[in-house]
Amino acid sequence: MNPIKGNCHCGAINYELTSDPQLSFICQCRQCQRITGTGHSAEFVMPSQKANISGELKFYEMVSDNGNTVSSGFCPTCGNPILKKSSGYPGLLFFHAATLENPSLFKPQKVFWYASRQPWDYVVPGLEVKDKT
Ligand SMILES: [Zn+2]
Ligand SMILES: [Zn+2]
């Protein structure tokens, strides 16, 4: 199944993953609501040395709801958010699941920031719920 591939909407950013994700999750925090423009993000975690990225991401820095500095990496051409980095988790990349060439490979395990969810946002039932990351 490796390498797993993904890309942005316009194709300027491409990536290949040389191992399986460490963790896959849904996050309902307020920042993820803003970044995705909807109720939650769907993300998987990769060590940065296991991800080969081609194309130049642009980064936007923000403070996450738990106080970490989070950089959101997006395609400067089409604006598609691709991944995030967090000061709380050095060496890790948090990819947005739907940027995968085959998003059905994404198998979420947990829900973070459930307490911040919007009343209209529903996620896959049966996931382990954590209040915060
Ligand atoms: Zn793009
Ligand atoms: Zn979040």
Side-chain angles (χ1 to χ4, degrees), residues 8 10 75 78:
C8 68
C10 76
C75 172
C78 69

CSV table of all heavy atoms in Angstrom, one decimal, residues 8 10 75 78, ligand 1:
chain,number,residue,atom,x,y,z
A,8,CYS,N,-2.8,18.7,-3.2
A,8,CYS,CA,-3.8,19.8,-3.0
A,8,CYS,C,-4.7,19.8,-4.2
A,8,CYS,O,-4.6,19.1,-5.1
A,8,CYS,CB,-3.0,21.2,-2.9
A,8,CYS,SG,-2.2,21.7,-4.4
A,10,CYS,N,-5.2,22.0,-6.6
A,10,CYS,CA,-4.7,22.4,-7.9
A,10,CYS,C,-3.5,21.5,-8.4
A,10,CYS,O,-3.1,21.6,-9.5
A,10,CYS,CB,-4.3,23.9,-7.9
A,10,CYS,SG,-2.7,24.2,-7.1
A,75,CYS,N,-1.6,25.4,0.3
A,75,CYS,CA,-1.1,25.7,-1.0
A,75,CYS,C,-1.3,27.2,-1.3
A,75,CYS,O,-2.5,27.6,-1.2
A,75,CYS,CB,-1.8,24.8,-2.0
A,75,CYS,SG,-1.4,25.3,-3.7
A,78,CYS,N,-4.0,27.4,-4.6
A,78,CYS,CA,-5.4,27.1,-4.4
A,78,CYS,C,-5.9,27.3,-3.0
A,78,CYS,O,-7.1,27.2,-2.8
A,78,CYS,CB,-5.7,25.7,-5.0
A,78,CYS,SG,-5.0,24.4,-4.0
B,1,ZN,ZN,-2.9,23.9,-4.8
